[in-house]
Amino acid sequence: MSQNAITPTREQDFPEWYQQVVRAADLAENSEVRGCMVIKPWGYGLWENIQRQLDAKFKETGHVNAYFPLLIPLSYLEKEAEHAEGFATECAVVTHHRLEARKQPDGSTKMVPTGELAEPFVIRPTSETIIGAAFARWVESYRDLPLLINQWANVMRWEMRPRLFLRTAEFLWQEGHTAHETAEEALEETRLMHRVYTDFLRNHLAIPVIPGEKTENERFPGAVNTFTVEAMVQDRKAIQAGTSHYLGQNFAKAANIQFLGRDNTRQLAHTTSWGVSTRLIGTLIMAHGDDDGVILPPRIAPSQIVILPVTPKPDTRQEVIDACEALAQTLRVQTFHGEPLRVHVDKRDLPGGTKNWEWVKKGVPLRVEIGPRDISTRSVAVSRRDQGPKAKEFIPKEDFLQSVVERLQDIQDGLLARATAFRDANLHKINTLEEFQAFFAEGAPGGFALMHWAGSNEEEDRLAKEMKVTIRCIPLGDTHAEEGQCFLTGRPSTRRVVFARSY
RNA sequence: CGGGGCGUAGCUCAGCCUGGUAGAGCGCUUGCUUUGGGAGCAAGAAGUCGUCAGUUCGAAUCUGGCCGCCCCGACCA
């Protein structure tokens, strides 16, 4: 048996490691439909926690949930040219509404689509257009604004190269859509949700991000401005973990979202949209996982604590299981960040080592073992997922009950600290084209390059094509604001931007 | 849509060159042994060898068509 649970290691082959971890942790699997995944209970449990906690933040900031149709009339996509073009190459189209059973000469039956639709429907790749149409009906007066709506849904984008969680043809997400009276208010909404994402990634997923603005090239199709949260994962590549778009009046114009203003004139609303998807789960795996599987931040782990009964002898088995159940009950009364502790007792009749390794691979923050000896000494054996798989601390049960919340928080903080240290160690200020090329050269470690940039869209495109490096974002705030010269054109620049390879 | 590769048990694959009608490891089931640990031994279940056609006495194996999948590019949360 090898030292690590996952083969290959991250060092040997990162993409393959990722796939093996998804499988070993039982998070999801590919389905028979290309590009679509089956999210298994452990993976879906993560999504449920992400969903619940983010949803609470949306509600706190004044949003309400609604649901809009999966199918969008084709004509809706013709209303905003830039938006339509951006998604045109990845749309699944519904053209028929019934099937007819036709007997084949060999006796088998073939189902043949019939009943062609007069107007085809597009399966939503995103819902700006159909929600815009609803907003147009709902908004009449400035008194109807702001309209602050969110929907939890699935969307479909026919991707060429799917990868579990990171890029699937169908994925789950939330999309916020809001309409406002003024540009300032809409822009503030865009920024607010951008901050909500930054905070969620940092404090719930323990992933530090660089919040920033996208360049024109990288913007959402149809947006005036796109804000992004960019994370670094362990192969030093960037991943866009969430976006918040200021749409100006582009979509209001396309969908005719008009209202009668305070001055009694008809005006177009200013809209926003923002979203995060199941890609967060992929980001989480790549940010925290190690060569033994995933490592889950306690705040979003489906089970934060797994109790493993150690039952060496049949005659003490029931006593041990009872002690485990009793401990679980005591723990469930406690709360972590306002939610009752999620505790699971693994009573399956399997060798202890097998069960232990399974939970290591699944990334449970705390594993607790109780055996006959521990019952007599009133102690428990505690293992932390952020330490080695064999590390074990024997502590009095009472002490454990006292300190469990603190321990979970310590793991949560440790993960963030580790990810931040890694990100910072691979974030470099670079000034010249030569250094830039060396930084992203084949075989070089790579990372985030902070560069002065004042090039054109075409020059940015050229770098993307030649070097496979893109501007991930123009960081917000003062941190990277400084005078300098563009590394490519020599033109003056007032701040550094983040260049990186990305997912 | 271009360039490469592959379809054999739930998974990973061997067998194909040199046709004779199916194998391994892991997993699964059962029994015994073991038990602070991803255990051992034994028995067992499981595949119309992607599909259609051709060659042949005989095809997983040779030939051709079709279908599907994977990897590398363009697209992308």
Side-chain angles (χ1 to χ4, degrees), chain A residues 278-296:
Chain A
T278 36
R279 176 179 250 202
L280 285 177
I281 296 173
T283 306
L284 186 74
I285 297 164
M286 293 196 294
H288 297 310
D290 67 9
D291 296 335
D292 290 318
V294 302
I295 301 183
L296 297 177

Side-chain angles (χ1 to χ4, degrees), chain A residues 79-382:
Chain A
K79 290 179 182 171
E80 216 289 335
E82 204 181 314
H83 180 70
E85 268 173 49
F87 287 102
T89 58
E90 43 187 305
C91 285
V93 186
V94 177
T95 53
H96 293 76
H97 65 86
R98 60 180 292 181
L99 292 171
E100 207 174 280
R102 291 205 188 133
K103 283 271 184 238
Q104 300 299 107
D106 68 357
S108 65
T109 303
K110 251 207 166 87
M111 300 305 288
V112 180
T114 62
E116 190 168 348
L117 293 163
E119 185 185 0
F121 295 115
V122 171
I123 298 178
R124 62 181 164 217
T126 178
S127 304
E128 273 74 11
T129 55
I130 198 155
I131 293 182
F135 279 16
R137 294 192 298 271
W138 298 352
V139 173
E140 290 186 285
S141 144
Y142 71 90
R143 293 192 175 90
D144 298 323
L145 298 172
L147 198 48
L148 306 172
I149 302 283
N150 176 65
Q151 101 162 331
W152 290 94
N154 56 343
V155 288
M156 180 157 260
R157 298 179 188 178
W158 210 265
E159 297 293 350
M160 284 298 144
R161 190 165 311 154
R163 283 183 75 190
L164 288 171
F165 292 117
L166 298 174
R167 194 178 301 114
T168 45
E170 179 189 13
F171 57 94
L172 305 183
W173 78 345
Q174 62 63 216
E175 47 182 325
H177 294 269
T178 69
H180 306 263
E181 195 180 343
T182 65
E184 294 69 37
E185 197 187 304
L187 196 53
E188 180 40 39
E189 164 77 9
T190 312
R191 292 210 161 96
L192 169 68
M193 299 324 286
H194 187 225
R195 286 196 297 274
V196 165
Y197 289 153
T198 305
D199 168 77
F200 179 77
L201 267 285
R202 182 184 175 82
N203 295 319
H204 294 245
L205 303 186
I207 298 173
V209 293
I210 297 185
E213 221 173 290
K214 283 290 186 191
T215 60
E216 198 183 328
N217 281 10
E218 301 278 329
R219 255 176 226 153
F220 176 75
V224 172
N225 210 337
T226 288
F227 295 90
T228 177
V229 286
E230 296 286 327
M232 184 193 286
V233 293
Q234 291 181 75
D235 61 355
R236 301 174 186 81
K237 281 163 82 170
I239 185 162
Q240 180 173 312
T243 46
S244 183
H245 314 290
Y246 169 57
L247 304 174
Q249 292 177 310
N250 293 348
F251 285 85
K253 220 172 285 165
N256 203 25
I257 309 172
Q258 287 194 23
F259 64 94
L260 201 54
R262 294 163 201 269
D263 60 358
N264 204 30
T265 63
R266 296 204 71 77
Q267 297 170 33
L268 284 170
H270 299 77
T271 65
T272 82
S273 70
W274 29 274
V276 296
S277 71
T278 36
R279 176 179 250 202
L280 285 177
I281 296 173
T283 306
L284 186 74
I285 297 164
M286 293 196 294
H288 297 310
D290 67 9
D291 296 335
D292 290 318
V294 302
I295 301 183
L296 297 177
R299 287 193 78 170
I300 51 98
S303 291
Q304 295 154 325
I305 303 163
V306 165
I307 301 177
L308 297 157
V310 179
T311 53
K313 293 187 193 93
D315 54 315
T316 53
R317 187 180 152 81
Q318 195 53 50
E319 189 191 350
V320 168
I321 286 176
D322 290 347
C324 290
E325 292 284 14
L327 178 64
Q329 285 307 324
T330 318
L331 285 166
R332 288 185 188 119
V333 175
Q334 298 197 38
T335 59
F336 182 61
H337 289 278
E339 297 182 351
L341 288 186
R342 298 186 283 273
V343 188
H344 175 70
V345 181
D346 186 355
K347 289 178 284 195
R348 291 174 304 162
D349 183 21
L350 286 173
T354 304
K355 290 201 283 188
N356 191 46
W357 274 104
E358 206 174 281
W359 294 112
V360 169
K361 288 184 278 193
K362 285 176 168 240
V364 168
L366 287 177
R367 306 188 302 283
V368 178
E369 297 173 18
I370 299 181
R373 246 186 276 152
D374 306 309
I375 293 177
S376 57
T377 59
R378 298 190 54 77
S379 66
V380 291
V382 180

